[in-house]
Amino acid sequence: MMTPADRIARVRLSSVYLPLDTPVSDAKVLTGRQRPMTEIAFLFAEIATDEGHEGIGFAYSKRAGGPGQYAHAKEIAHDLLGEDPNDIPRLWDKLCWAGASVGRSGLAVQAIAALDVALWDMKAKRAALPLAKLLGAHRDSVRCYNTSGGFLHAPVEQVLENATAALERGIGGIKIKVGQPDTRADLARVRAVREHLGEGVPLMVDANQQWDRPAAARMGRALEEYGLVWIEEPLDAYDHAGHAALAAALDTPIATGEMLTSVAEHAELIRAGGADVVQPDAPRIGGITPFLRLAALAAHERLQLAPHFAMEIHLHLAAAYPLEPWVEHFEWLEPLFEERLEIRDGRMLVPGRPGIGVTLSEQAAKWTAERYETP
């Protein structure tokens, strides 16, 4: 006889603003499209059940959108009360239909993401397993590369120092930003980093959507000699045909996908052949539930996977991907959590702690702007 199901009793939401030590600039800033980034808005969801089980999840927004994510999460959180927390895909659909009039992508599903991640965190904790093990891990560690040291606000000398420090920490690869108005400056920057690292260290570049098709083709050819792991976002994120043409023309793989905000958008990218390396972001596409659907599609097409940002979540998801993936190292989020991820010999180790393996720090509480708890 089936025992009565545990039920969701409470949802707590927090709007947290993480300040950055230095204003951050990439090509979108240098070309006037955006302002330097000074903080990141986080939506945290903490879910508890009648039997005392708990889970934590988060979504985030850069520059704008944080208040909207928080507001939408407040609207739909009540729809989880009384539900069986194990039925995560069904609950995702319920939350999506609760806000159907605002769509199935972007901010609407990003609010769901924090709740969805919290449910998966709880499910893994109930099983006394790291999330990667609950999903079915293919590996206990994932290749990792650093991005935070290679932004364009830093002079090239600082980028070189940052790269050395990252490698000494055990990180396996280095990514730097390109996409400056003067492409000669980009090439000089890449040349300097490659000479500093030597031929054996994996190196990636990220243009943050700044080139048009002719410029991307010229730069792609010029960059071939540096043996890059990939060229990231050379074109507008929705120019799937342009990315596909580059992927077919160049030996260097093309990576993109971080700015897409639903599984459907990623499916169009994959259908067009627009990426050798897909870079989904679980908080941006609605959480772990949609990420798993997307990962299955990408694996079927034998694509490489390199999830964007949020390594605390993506480490587990990358570990469960069939093909050898990459995970992106950003130390920015570390002050939010009590725990730290271990990096060794170029790889990030899946933590043995149950669930995602994070708890909020006292500092996160100090950065909290608003809190809400369901009655």
Side-chain angles (χ1 to χ4, degrees), residues 314-363:
H314 289 136
L315 172 58
H316 293 274
L317 302 180
Y321 191 68
L323 285 68
E324 186 71 35
W326 287 90
V327 68
E328 186 172 29
H329 174 265
F330 272 89
E331 73 279 3
W332 294 353
L333 278 61
E334 288 182 345
L336 295 169
F337 306 114
E338 294 291 344
E339 301 79 9
R340 297 291 179 269
L341 293 172
E342 185 177 354
I343 298 168
R344 188 188 309 148
D345 299 327
R347 303 180 72 87
M348 191 175 293
L349 279 60
V350 175
R353 300 179 293 273
I356 297 170
V358 299
T359 53
L360 287 175
S361 66
E362 292 184 5
Q363 183 61 67

Side-chain angles (χ1 to χ4, degrees), residues 14-19 42 44 46 56 333-338 359-371:
S14 302
S15 175
V16 178
Y17 286 84
L18 168 69
F42 284 86
F44 281 97
E46 298 169 86
I56 185 170
L333 278 61
E334 288 182 345
L336 295 169
F337 306 114
E338 294 291 344
T359 53
L360 287 175
S361 66
E362 292 184 5
Q363 183 61 67
K366 294 177 182 177
W367 287 332
T368 299
E370 292 185 69
R371 286 190 181 90

Side-chain angles (χ1 to χ4, degrees), residues 166-180:
L167 296 177
E168 289 175 348
R169 183 175 174 179
I171 291 168
I174 301 296
K175 187 172 80 179
I176 66 169
K177 299 290 186 173
V178 292
Q180 301 175 83

Side-chain angles (χ1 to χ4, degrees), residues 92 96-97 99-106 108-109 112 261-265 285:
W92 196 96
C96 187
W97 279 106
S101 65
V102 291
R104 300 184 185 183
S105 64
V109 298
I112 296 173
T261 63
S262 69
V263 174
E265 291 174 4
I285 65 171

Side-chain angles (χ1 to χ4, degrees), residues 268-327:
E268 288 298 317
L269 171 68
I270 293 171
R271 188 176 296 113
D276 302 298
V277 185
V278 289
Q279 298 182 299
D281 184 318
R284 281 187 177 169
I285 65 171
I288 293 168
T289 298
F291 188 102
L292 295 176
R293 294 200 293 267
L294 171 57
L297 177 60
H300 179 73
E301 297 296 330
R302 308 301 294 174
L303 297 176
Q304 298 180 62
L305 178 77
H308 169 256
F309 202 59
M311 62 188 186
E312 292 79 5
I313 296 172
H314 289 136
L315 172 58
H316 293 274
L317 302 180
Y321 191 68
L323 285 68
E324 186 71 35
W326 287 90
V327 68

Side-chain angles (χ1 to χ4, degrees), residues 39-337:
E39 64 180 10
I40 304 174
F42 284 86
L43 165 64
F44 281 97
E46 298 169 86
I47 300 176
T49 71
D50 290 331
E51 295 181 2
H53 297 286
E54 296 182 345
I56 185 170
F58 65 88
Y60 73 94
S61 182
K62 298 177 179 178
R63 293 186 177 87
Q69 290 178 356
Y70 179 69
H72 189 58
K74 284 173 61 177
E75 289 182 305
I76 62 177
H78 296 81
D79 289 82
L80 290 177
L81 299 180
E83 290 284 4
D84 183 340
N86 293 298
D87 300 339
I88 303 177
R90 180 180 64 80
L91 295 180
W92 196 96
D93 287 346
K94 182 179 183 180
L95 294 173
C96 187
W97 279 106
S101 65
V102 291
R104 300 184 185 183
S105 64
L107 187 150
V109 298
Q110 289 159 14
I112 296 173
L115 300 162
D116 181 80
V117 172
L119 289 169
W120 279 104
D121 180 57
M122 180 192 297
K123 192 166 192 173
K125 286 175 178 173
R126 294 179 77 153
L129 292 171
L131 177 63
K133 293 294 185 181
L134 179 76
L135 298 176
H138 284 266
R139 58 197 63 83
D140 294 325
S141 65
V142 179
R143 294 180 297 180
C144 66
Y145 68 95
N146 176 262
T147 294
S148 52
F151 277 82
L152 290 174
H153 63 270
V156 67
E157 295 79 10
Q158 184 63 56
V159 172
L160 301 182
E161 291 180 16
N162 294 342
T164 297
L167 296 177
E168 289 175 348
R169 183 175 174 179
I171 291 168
I174 301 296
K175 187 172 80 179
I176 66 169
K177 299 290 186 173
V178 292
Q180 301 175 83
D182 184 352
T183 56
R184 293 170 299 181
D186 279 339
L187 292 173
R189 198 173 181 91
V190 175
R191 185 181 309 113
V193 175
R194 173 50 83 198
E195 290 175 355
H196 179 74
L197 296 177
E199 294 299 322
V201 176
L203 175 63
M204 305 84 161
V205 302
D206 182 358
N208 287 111
Q209 309 179 71
Q210 290 308 293
W211 297 325
D212 59 20
R213 290 186 181 186
R218 287 193 296 268
M219 286 297 291
R221 290 192 295 269
L223 290 167
E224 294 274 41
E225 66 176 284
Y226 298 108
L228 302 176
V229 178
W230 67 64
I231 299 171
E232 185 170 331
E233 286 195 322
L235 299 167
D236 183 275
Y238 291 91
D239 185 1
H240 303 332
H243 279 107
L246 279 178
L250 299 176
D251 291 335
T252 306
I254 297 300
T256 190
E258 69 178 69
M259 297 303 295
L260 304 183
T261 63
S262 69
V263 174
E265 291 174 4
H266 278 278
E268 288 298 317
L269 171 68
I270 293 171
R271 188 176 296 113
D276 302 298
V277 185
V278 289
Q279 298 182 299
D281 184 318
R284 281 187 177 169
I285 65 171
I288 293 168
T289 298
F291 188 102
L292 295 176
R293 294 200 293 267
L294 171 57
L297 177 60
H300 179 73
E301 297 296 330
R302 308 301 294 174
L303 297 176
Q304 298 180 62
L305 178 77
H308 169 256
F309 202 59
M311 62 188 186
E312 292 79 5
I313 296 172
H314 289 136
L315 172 58
H316 293 274
L317 302 180
Y321 191 68
L323 285 68
E324 186 71 35
W326 287 90
V327 68
E328 186 172 29
H329 174 265
F330 272 89
E331 73 279 3
W332 294 353
L333 278 61
E334 288 182 345
L336 295 169
F337 306 114

